[in-house]
Amino acid sequence: MTAVLRAEGLGKRYRRRWALSDCTLKIPAGHVTGLVGPNGAGKTTLLSLAVGLLAPTAGTIEVCGGRPAADAAQLAKVGFVAQDTPTYPGLSIADHLRLGARTNPRWDDAVARSRVERLGLDPAQKAGRLSGGQRAQLALTLGLAKRPELLILDEPVASLDPLARREFLQVLMEAVAEHEVSVLLSSHVVSDLERVCDHLVVLVDSQVRVEGDVESLLESHLRLTGPRREPATLPAGQHVVSASHTDRQSTLVVRTDAPVLDPSWTVGRLGLEDLVLAYMEGTRAVAPGPVMEVLR
Ligand code: ATP
């Protein structure tokens, strides 16, 4: 597998707190990888390390075969749209495209212009006068037109309306298919990720909780519902991701490669959102309502 991002024992510490810790990852090239996790999980930290805006406190990270932001050639390979979609308020949209053309060796002017036109933006408009969503669209357009090998997007669709979100995700998928760009994007909207991602990384409490090909993850996780039972009594090979109990009933999310043969369980499949939530819930010791316990 060609990896577009490799991290080994990667960590970033702010004073005494680890924002990201012991992160070992291999993200495959040619895929759209979704990075999900609760607020403060370390997503932005990981993405900032990947583009060289932060330096690791521990471990190593390699992106497109090189050290992040090591030199001009490395910078040209990676496109990044930060969470606050920074643009230059005093420059017009046309100025931004000219700047992009000057500073990016693989700049695709036709893509940039056709996207601006399709979005109905006036090239003479100053970026400082755009709405938050329009500014995000401009930043995303610059990221795509740069024609990077890896496009990294930190919550790119957060400020877009539902229609714009769908359109943008469609454009992303087309870019992957046409130009073999790999994409790594973080989002809280799992339903959006479900539409475009074929690889997933779930980050919780500064650690990678699960990572892999979306289809395989969905195949290997099951929801078991049945009479109340302690998760510890499950056969080896059924790894409990999350468990909740009422007085009489248990609901478990398990990871397993083998079929569940115990007839006392009702076995169901999970969607991506349920799978992500199971890993996120798995970190909370006690939830209100039914008792929630977790084994890892
Ligand atoms: P969100 O979904 O809310 O954007 P995130 O998963 O992107 O969150 P990060 O921004 O990576 O999370 O933050 C991870 C942790 O590191 C948080 O606890 C945050 O408070 C801390 N952190 C991030 N940046 C700094 C900083 N510059 N100084 C100190 N702590 C920081």
Side-chain angles (χ1 to χ4, degrees), residues 14-15 17-20 37-46 83 154-155 188 203:
Y14 292 105
R15 296 177 186 266
R17 194 187 188 295
W18 288 90
L20 187 73
N39 291 127
K43 302 180 296 295
T44 298
T45 303
L46 174 59
Q83 203 166 11
D154 196 357
E155 293 195 36
H188 288 290
L203 207 58

Side-chain angles (χ1 to χ4, degrees), residues 70-88:
D71 53 30
Q74 181 67 27
L75 285 169
K77 289 182 192 173
V78 183
F80 178 52
V81 178
Q83 203 166 11
D84 52 355
T85 57
T87 50
Y88 297 96

